[in-house]
Amino acid sequence: MSDENGTQDSAGSPTGPRPEALRFFGTTWVNHDNGYGLRRIGAAVGSLAAAVAACLVLRLAYQGLQLASTGAFVNILVVAMFAICSALAFRNTWDGFSKRPDPARQASLRGLLAIGFVGSLLAYFFRSLTEAPGENLHRGEYEAALKQHEKRTTRRTGNPSKKRRRS
């Protein structure tokens, strides 16, 4: 039995690069098998349901602010904060699907991303409609690793010192 790129060592165990597992998808994104389509539908529905539930919770929090009579300025400030943080979290999450995020930047944005969690959920929903979130990034890295592995393991034939010289 061989792995995804069809290589084995002499003991029969696969060699070469392994695909990185994606959250909720494992390695089904490589060949789109083992329920990949159902997982994508589940991820899309789940993230949309979570975003709707989060919006309902935020609505209840906003109603609590109105009942507390905190004033128009505080209400506008809270709505603007959640809107801006959600937009930034959406953009950050969306960009994270196409390139590896910087860990230091992610650490500094942790609070902002926590406040704008609705934006992250919506980004996950929209990406799930077309592919497994992060699939394109991981596929590119995996195919590059396969090419590099194949380039390293291909063997030349013949003795290069006996090569005919062109005149």
Side-chain angles (χ1 to χ4, degrees):
M1 179 181 255
S2 64
D3 66 349
E4 290 80 19
N5 61 0
T7 59
Q8 293 179 346
D9 65 4
S10 60
S13 60
T15 62
R18 302 271 189 176
E20 188 175 340
L22 292 176
R23 180 182 297 152
F24 305 123
F25 294 91
T27 57
T28 61
W29 60 268
V30 176
N31 297 321
H32 294 185
D33 57 356
N34 295 333
Y36 170 81
L38 291 175
R39 289 175 192 228
R40 262 194 41 216
I41 291 170
V45 169
S47 60
L48 184 62
V52 168
C55 287
L56 290 175
V57 169
L58 290 176
R59 173 75 175 144
L60 289 174
Y62 181 76
Q63 286 177 343
L65 283 176
Q66 285 181 327
L67 288 174
S69 300
T70 55
F73 178 71
V74 172
N75 289 342
I76 290 172
L77 198 62
V78 168
V79 169
M81 175 193 63
F82 275 106
I84 291 169
C85 289
S86 291
L88 292 172
F90 180 92
R91 182 63 183 187
N92 187 54
T93 304
W94 191 264
D95 287 344
F97 295 142
S98 58
K99 63 182 178 195
R100 293 272 179 190
D102 178 29
R105 184 172 185 267
Q106 287 294 105
S108 67
L109 292 176
R110 186 172 297 140
L112 182 127
L113 296 176
I115 293 170
F117 63 98
V118 174
S120 293
L121 290 169
L122 290 175
Y124 205 85
F125 166 72
F126 286 120
R127 183 58 78 150
S128 294
L129 296 177
T130 57
E131 68 175 8
E135 177 182 346
N136 195 23
L137 170 68
H138 286 80
R139 186 172 302 284
E141 291 173 350
Y142 179 61
E143 287 175 356
L146 281 177
K147 285 180 186 175
Q148 184 180 21
H149 174 73
E150 195 161 310
K151 191 193 259 188
R152 282 191 316 242
T153 57
T154 54
R155 310 231 182 235
R156 310 191 286 233
T157 58
N159 185 348
S161 66
K162 292 184 180 178
K163 192 173 184 180
R164 295 173 108 195
R165 306 232 183 234
R166 293 184 185 175
S167 39

